[in-house]
Amino acid sequence: MAKRKLNRRQQWRIKKIQDEKAERAKRRESQAEQAMDSGALGSEQTGLIIAHYGQQIDVQACDDQGSALTDSPLHRCHVRANIDALVTGDRVVWRAGDDQSGVIEARLDRSSLLQRPDNFGQLKPVAANIDRIVVVVAVEPEPHANLIDRYLVAAETLDIQPTLLLNKADLINDDNRAELETMLDTYRELGYEVLLTTARHTTDDNSPLLEWLSHHTSVFVGQSGVGKSSLIRSILGDDSIRVGELSENTRKGTHTTTTARLFHLPAGGQLVDSPGIREFGLWHISDAELLEGFIEFRPFIGHCRFRDCQHEAEPGCAIREAFESGQVSAQRMHSYERIRSTLDDKETY
Ligand code: GDP
Ligand code: ZN
């Protein structure tokens, strides 16, 4: 879209609005600092970031073990200027103020960081301390191995354990069963967990999934149409609707739908979700990341005869030899080749 030239009056108005915003932000900061100085804040404690709205962050108190006190109220906190980017799922040191306010003083170490590219292709942090990336596939649309592998590689690149979830299991029939099982077996043999479910069932019937989720802090990712929204709705139950409504009304002007939010699940565990997270995975990766992302290739990497081996048809290629001796499956080898041939295209699928 061509940029419209602003006239002087418009420019003046925009500057005025920006100045006012800056002034307000400064005032808020100094109020928070004053509260800090006047001792109006509680003592330092551990907290969990539930959501992040621009300058403001919702924090929930944690117990001594660092687990969130799931019934305790959220505090809308300001951040000390000297802390680098905080994201949903971060654990922090904070002090509660009046009226469910607070100040974040420090960020604790992260066990993982989920990132995805912004509009300029730069990787940006979106959530911390995620321990499972649930790659959702479905009986329909038909799952393609190379797309699944693309997600797995992205997860492996971030060093977050991926798990495969086949949704719409109600659509499995005698025509598609064998093919699906063969494909899923490939992943089971690689050591990936594979779960089957259907969002059509009640939460009770979903309980093996809820049980599994209760042990983790997870995100759901995957192609559109596989049933991520349906699953998340059924997992969160009515709570998610209530939370959603609440945030729409009380947070006018903030883009709640694009913000990663942490949900405590009824049966335990946490789910972090945002539209951005659901689209995770299909960014530009390097040849080296692709190779490493195929976990069964790892023992062979660096053993090719030529240092600059392209793993195509070179003599002494350790990856090819692994494939020929049956240590790498045909499905995965083809998938690797297919993804590799698309790496130069900036666009992905
Ligand atoms: P998303 O794009 O991944 O969020 O997918 P949606 O949740 O929007 O679901 C896409 C379509 O699949 C919708 O029409 C759902 O009703 C349907 N769907 C979701 N889960 C299931 C399921 O377990 N079984 C069947 N048969 N349909 C499902
Ligand atoms: Zn090679």
Side-chain angles (χ1 to χ4, degrees):
M1 195 172 61
K3 261 199 186 144
R4 195 164 50 94
K5 215 166 166 13
L6 301 173
N7 66 33
R8 282 173 69 109
R9 179 160 176 82
Q10 286 167 324
Q11 283 176 359
W12 175 82
R13 269 184 55 91
I14 287 171
K15 179 158 183 347
K16 182 160 174 283
I17 290 167
Q18 281 171 347
D19 286 350
E20 280 169 4
K21 274 193 183 159
E23 185 56 38
R24 273 203 304 274
K26 226 191 267 161
R27 216 161 41 224
R28 277 199 303 263
E29 215 166 88
S30 77
Q31 276 167 358
E33 308 253 323
Q34 263 172 26
M36 227 179 306
D37 293 341
S38 69
L41 291 171
S43 52
E44 287 188 348
Q45 54 174 318
T46 312
L48 172 67
I49 297 186
I50 300 292
H52 193 316
Y53 305 95
Q55 297 295 311
Q56 298 185 312
I57 294 184
D58 285 351
V59 172
Q60 191 167 43
C62 293
D63 63 17
D64 294 344
Q65 274 77 50
S67 301
L69 299 163
T70 56
D71 289 333
S72 72
L74 302 186
H75 284 249
R76 183 59 60 95
C77 293
H78 294 277
V79 186
R80 284 269 210 187
N82 57 354
I83 308 178
D84 59 81
L86 293 166
V87 291
T88 299
D90 262 324
R91 290 210 152 59
V92 293
V93 175
W94 69 294
R95 298 168 69 185
D98 295 339
D99 223 7
Q100 294 188 17
S101 66
V103 176
I104 296 176
E105 308 217 311
R107 174 170 69 71
L108 300 178
D109 285 346
R110 293 162 172 159
S111 62
S112 75
L113 184 60
L114 185 78
Q115 306 187 81
R116 65 182 300 273
D118 62 14
N119 294 337
F120 307 101
Q122 296 284 325
L123 279 186
K124 287 272 180 283
V126 287
N129 299 316
I130 302 297
D131 65 5
R132 286 295 186 282
I133 291 175
V134 181
V135 179
V136 184
V137 296
V139 178
E140 279 176 26
E142 187 193 340
H144 290 288
N146 63 317
L147 185 56
I148 297 175
D149 292 331
R150 198 69 178 68
Y151 285 114
L152 296 181
V153 168
E156 296 290 351
T157 302
L158 295 178
D159 209 9
I160 302 176
Q161 178 73 49
T163 294
L164 213 55
L165 174 64
L166 179 72
N167 186 35
K168 309 196 192 181
D170 53 303
L171 301 180
I172 297 178
N173 57 38
D174 290 346
D175 292 335
N176 58 27
R177 182 174 291 112
E179 202 180 329
L180 282 168
E181 277 302 326
T182 307
M183 191 196 65
L184 295 180
D185 276 344
T186 304
Y187 296 105
R188 291 190 183 106
E189 280 157 23
L190 291 170
Y192 289 118
E193 280 171 295
V194 175
L195 307 166
L196 266 70
T197 194
T198 161
R200 285 282 155 89
H201 282 176
T202 63
T203 327
D204 273 357
D205 291 321
N206 256 335
S207 61
L209 177 61
L210 294 186
E211 213 284 317
W212 183 89
L213 288 168
S214 73
H215 301 287
H216 301 295
T217 300
S218 322
V219 295
F220 280 37
V221 307
Q223 200 186 348
S224 145
V226 293
K228 295 178 300 297
S229 338
S230 314
L231 277 169
I232 290 170
R233 230 175 303 138
S234 97
I235 290 164
L236 292 177
D238 293 342
D239 266 5
S240 66
I241 300 161
R242 197 162 47 79
V243 169
E245 278 170 4
L246 193 73
S247 50
E248 287 303 324
N249 292 336
T250 57
R251 287 163 193 157
K252 284 223 172 72
T254 58
H255 300 280
T256 46
T257 48
T258 58
T259 308
R261 190 186 164 90
L262 185 145
F263 297 95
H264 297 294
L265 303 182
Q270 286 93 37
L271 183 76
V272 176
D273 187 43
S274 77
I277 287 177
R278 293 182 193 181
E279 289 163 13
F280 160 91
L282 304 181
W283 63 67
H284 190 71
I285 49 169
S286 67
D287 283 354
E289 284 168 335
L290 179 63
L291 209 57
E292 286 275 338
F294 277 72
I295 48 171
E296 71 276 41
F297 289 6
R298 290 179 183 174
F300 310 107
I301 297 173
H303 294 279
C304 300
R305 184 179 309 162
F306 301 112
R307 272 189 76 141
D308 61 348
C309 185
Q310 300 295 300
H311 323 296
E312 278 164 5
E314 292 94 332
C317 171
I319 307 285
R320 292 249 140 232
E321 282 168 9
F323 166 55
E324 273 146 29
S325 67
Q327 289 166 281
V328 167
S329 74
Q331 178 188 310
R332 291 274 284 180
M333 195 66 205
H334 293 154
S335 181
Y336 167 74
E337 285 165 352
R338 177 102 190 262
I339 298 172
R340 188 147 189 268
S341 71
T342 65
L343 280 193
D344 296 333
D345 315 342
K346 276 278 184 227
E347 124 305 337
T348 38
Y349 298 71

